[in-house]
Amino acid sequence: MSKDKNPRRVADNEAMAKLRMLRTSPQKLNLVAGLIRGKKVDQALTDLTFSKKRIAVDVKKCLQSAIANAENNHNLDVDELIVAEAYVGKNLTMKRGRPRARGRFGKIIKPFAEITIKVRQVEEQA
């Protein structure tokens, strides 16, 4: 008696990659994720390569991982992939501080975020 196999969390024509503990705020990360939503993966990679945002390097790694998952694990065609979803979530928040004048304490909040990228294979219309 063994347990049933876990069902796939995405559809048969999709693949997913998730990157956790990114040292940036979710609001800033969402700006970069908005750059690639709905685009073909080669155009999204180009946009991330030439983006001036620091976190774009990590988002590009996550997108490349999603593409590799689609190709190697799910046998999808890389040329027909689009970025179906790219959503951002909160992660932990480090709380630091700094002494201020008159015995006060200035809070410094260092947020972390996570990003999930789903790529989907769509057949091109001729």
Side-chain angles (χ1 to χ4, degrees):
M1 292 272 300
S2 62
K3 289 173 31 175
D4 291 336
K5 182 179 171 185
N6 278 338
R8 283 194 63 195
R9 291 181 174 87
V10 292
D12 290 336
N13 63 340
E14 288 182 341
M16 183 177 88
K18 189 172 211 173
L19 199 57
R20 293 188 171 100
M21 294 297 289
L22 289 170
R23 181 56 193 90
T24 187
S25 71
Q27 187 175 6
K28 291 178 184 177
L29 184 57
N30 196 34
L31 290 173
V32 178
L35 286 175
I36 62 171
R37 282 189 191 107
K39 293 186 177 178
K40 294 182 70 59
V41 289
D42 55 348
Q43 181 63 42
L45 284 171
T46 305
D47 290 350
L48 290 172
T49 301
F50 295 106
S51 175
K52 291 185 177 183
K53 303 279 188 184
R54 174 188 63 87
I55 204 65
V57 176
D58 293 324
V59 175
K60 182 179 174 187
K61 282 183 189 176
C62 185
L63 179 58
Q64 287 171 332
S65 177
I67 294 168
N69 289 342
E71 184 178 15
N72 297 318
N73 300 345
H74 307 303
N75 299 321
L76 302 178
D77 186 16
V78 177
D79 297 328
E80 296 178 351
L81 291 178
I82 64 164
V83 180
E85 297 177 27
Y87 52 90
V88 174
K90 286 184 182 180
N91 210 310
L92 68 87
T93 302
M94 287 195 305
K95 293 164 182 88
R96 300 293 182 258
R98 180 183 178 138
R100 305 298 291 177
R102 300 173 65 181
R104 294 195 176 105
F105 186 73
K107 271 203 309 192
I108 298 173
I109 296 174
K110 299 186 174 193
F112 284 75
E114 56 187 49
I115 186 167
T116 305
I117 297 177
K118 288 184 184 177
V119 293
R120 181 179 299 141
Q121 179 177 344
V122 293
E123 283 74 22
E124 296 180 15
Q125 290 83 16

